[in-house]
């Protein structure tokens, strides 16, 4: 919090990069690194999507922290014995402390860990996705899309910056506001930006150009969590996503695109927010709704044209160990 009771995210990250030429001391090498995510986390969701779209599953393994954590942050409580099977650690903080004993900043996902040393290389979530799409080019699958095309980069950066400031981080500014004034300002900015997106997406299939880009990958994780979490839990409740025709169609279009919806686990998402945020939800009760079945309903966005992967192709199915259950209608909710 700041003096005005506004929420301010700690943006201190380890900015070391894994590059093709290894200029930071960490060259791209198949099998050397492990991407650690949590299904619950929207910032980590971006990396999981890009890894899927680039087809890097065989060269960059992925560890999945569970949805629950305490003041020591993310742990591998879903893995057998409560340890990551590759890194052999119980908590992600162990990898941060091996990099810097007493690491003073947030233990965050996504993080990429150097397996031989057990040290975190980077947790710079914005740079990770850009580098997976570029520095790892020699190991990407045939047909991997270009998510950051040169001719659209200025527009992608502009849109992504607006989305980050007012929506990705904006929902947190609403949820963790320490005063009515701070909340009202965050709420205003959030809905002004969502209205802007609703208008922008009314006549175009994707945010920038006619293919999926980094801009879409940065917006989607917030939209997919909106009705399940942010609408009620973070008090972002002017409307539900399902009440915004263009954004709801756009979000379903992406969800049904290989590489997006197959990274989403609604049960883990809700477990994280409603159980971990004791100050917002002290009872720890997890709501049963909303019914996720609508994510698979027809969206009709094909009529706007565009090709999700451009000249590329869809990714293959995720490895069996990484598959998540598809959304299904909530039988309890339907029984009333």
């Amino acid at each position: 919090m700041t003096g005005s009771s506004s929420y301010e995210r700690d943006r201190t990250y380890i900015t070391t990069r894994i590059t093709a030429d290894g200029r930071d001391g960490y060259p791209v090498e198949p099998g050397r690194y492990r991407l650690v995510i949590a299904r619950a986390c929207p910032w980590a969701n971006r990396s999981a999507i890009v890894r899927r779209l680039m087809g890097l599953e065989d060269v960059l393994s992925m560890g999945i922290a569970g949805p629950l954590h305490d003041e020591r942050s993310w742990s591998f409580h879903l893995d057998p014995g409560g340890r990551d099977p590759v890194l052999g650690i119980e908590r992600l903080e162990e990898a941060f402390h091996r990099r810097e004993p007493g690491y003073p900043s947030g233990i965050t996902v996504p993080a990429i860990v150097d397996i031989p040393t057990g040290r975190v290389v980077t947790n710079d979530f914005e740079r990770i996705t850009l580098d997976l799409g570029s520095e790892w080019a020699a190991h990407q699958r045939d047909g991997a899309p270009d998510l950051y095309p040169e001719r659209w980069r200025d527009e992608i950066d502009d849109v992504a910056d607006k989305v980050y400031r007012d929506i990705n981080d904006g929902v947190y500014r609403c949820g963790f506001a320490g005063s009515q004034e701070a909340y009202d300002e965050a709420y205003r900015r959030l809905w002004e930006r969502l209205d802007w997106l609703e208008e922008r997406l009314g006549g175009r299939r994707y945010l920038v150009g006619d293919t999926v880009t980094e801009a879409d990958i940065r917006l989607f994780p917030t939209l997919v969590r909106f009705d399940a979490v942010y609408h009620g839990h973070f008090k972002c409740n002017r409307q539900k996503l399902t009440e915004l025709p263009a954004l709801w169609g756009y979000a379903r279009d992406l969800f049904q695109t290989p590489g997006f919806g197959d990274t989403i686990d609604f049960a883990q998402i809700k477990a994280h927010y409603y159980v971990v945020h004791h100050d917002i939800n002290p009872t720890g009760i997890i709501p049963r709704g909303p019914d996720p079945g609508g994510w698979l309903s027809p969206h009709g966005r094909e009529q706007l044209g565009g090709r999700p992967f451009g000249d590329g192709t869809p990714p293959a199915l995720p490895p069996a160990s990484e598959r998540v259950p598809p959304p299904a209608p909530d039988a309890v909710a339907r029984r009333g």
Side-chain angles (χ1 to χ4, degrees):
M1 298 289 183
T2 66
S4 63
S5 300
S6 297
Y7 171 75
E8 296 292 341
R9 182 174 300 280
D10 181 1
R11 303 244 7 222
T12 304
Y13 301 114
I14 299 173
T15 57
T16 307
R17 293 174 62 189
I18 300 170
T19 58
D21 62 8
R23 56 185 176 273
D24 285 1
Y26 292 95
V28 169
E29 293 180 16
R32 176 172 172 177
Y33 306 100
R34 188 159 175 83
L35 172 66
V36 177
I37 69 160
R39 295 287 187 197
C41 175
W43 316 103
N45 198 171
R46 302 175 176 194
S47 297
I49 291 169
V50 175
R51 174 177 172 270
R52 285 272 294 118
L53 296 181
M54 297 298 103
L56 295 172
E57 291 93 338
D58 291 339
V59 297
L60 177 64
S61 68
M62 187 166 74
I64 303 175
L68 307 181
H69 69 64
D70 54 22
E71 67 278 359
R72 295 174 62 191
S73 197
W74 302 100
S75 67
F76 299 97
H77 61 88
L78 298 182
D79 287 311
R83 291 182 179 273
D84 179 88
V86 173
L87 300 174
I89 57 178
E90 295 181 342
R91 295 174 178 269
L92 183 58
E93 69 171 3
E94 296 175 52
F96 279 80
H97 291 162
R98 287 176 184 171
R99 169 71 186 256
E100 182 181 343
Y103 181 74
S105 297
I107 309 297
T108 62
V109 289
I112 299 183
V113 179
D114 180 43
I115 296 172
T117 63
R119 298 172 182 169
V120 165
V121 178
T122 180
N123 64 333
D124 186 350
F125 66 90
E126 289 185 345
R127 191 72 247 175
I128 285 173
T129 56
L130 292 172
D131 284 348
L132 291 180
S134 57
E135 298 295 330
W136 291 73
H139 305 286
Q140 292 169 3
R141 66 180 177 86
D142 292 338
D146 183 358
L147 301 176
Y148 198 47
E150 182 72 39
R151 65 187 181 279
W152 291 335
R153 286 186 183 179
D154 288 345
E155 188 175 358
I156 291 170
D157 290 345
D158 178 64
V159 171
D161 179 67
K162 291 180 170 70
V163 165
Y164 171 80
R165 184 182 64 245
D166 299 331
I167 299 177
N168 298 147
D169 204 41
V171 294
Y172 286 85
R173 288 175 177 270
C174 289
F176 292 119
S179 70
Q180 188 69 50
E181 179 184 15
Y183 166 77
D184 287 347
E185 174 62 15
Y187 183 93
R188 178 190 65 79
R189 290 176 58 174
L190 168 69
W191 283 103
E192 285 181 355
R193 188 62 62 199
L194 286 170
D195 287 341
W196 175 74
L197 287 175
E198 178 72 7
E199 181 177 359
R200 183 181 182 93
L201 290 166
R204 59 193 304 163
R205 190 170 180 185
Y206 303 108
L207 283 176
V208 180
D210 60 356
T211 64
V212 167
T213 67
E214 272 276 339
D216 303 293
I217 289 164
R218 296 184 184 196
L219 175 59
F220 174 77
T222 300
L223 295 184
V224 80
R225 289 162 174 77
F226 197 87
D227 285 5
V229 176
Y230 304 140
H231 177 270
H233 186 59
F234 279 176
K235 307 180 185 69
C236 302
N237 59 353
R238 192 192 80 180
Q239 290 167 279
K240 297 176 182 176
L241 180 66
T242 55
E243 297 167 347
L244 300 167
L247 275 165
W248 176 225
Y250 164 82
R252 280 179 290 152
D253 187 4
L254 288 180
F255 189 92
Q256 295 169 34
T257 299
F260 284 83
D262 52 29
T263 68
I264 300 301
D265 188 317
F266 285 109
Q268 290 196 33
I269 288 169
K270 291 197 295 183
H272 171 71
Y273 285 94
Y274 288 105
V275 174
V276 170
H277 296 160
H278 300 290
D279 51 342
I280 298 176
N281 187 41
T283 65
I285 294 172
I286 302 171
R288 295 303 303 257
D291 183 347
W295 283 98
L296 299 180
S297 64
H299 52 76
R301 299 277 295 179
E302 302 92 341
Q303 64 185 352
L304 296 174
R307 298 172 298 157
F309 306 106
D311 294 329
T313 58
L317 289 173
S321 62
E322 296 179 9
R323 292 177 191 171
V324 297
D330 189 328
V332 173
R334 285 184 178 274
R335 287 199 301 268

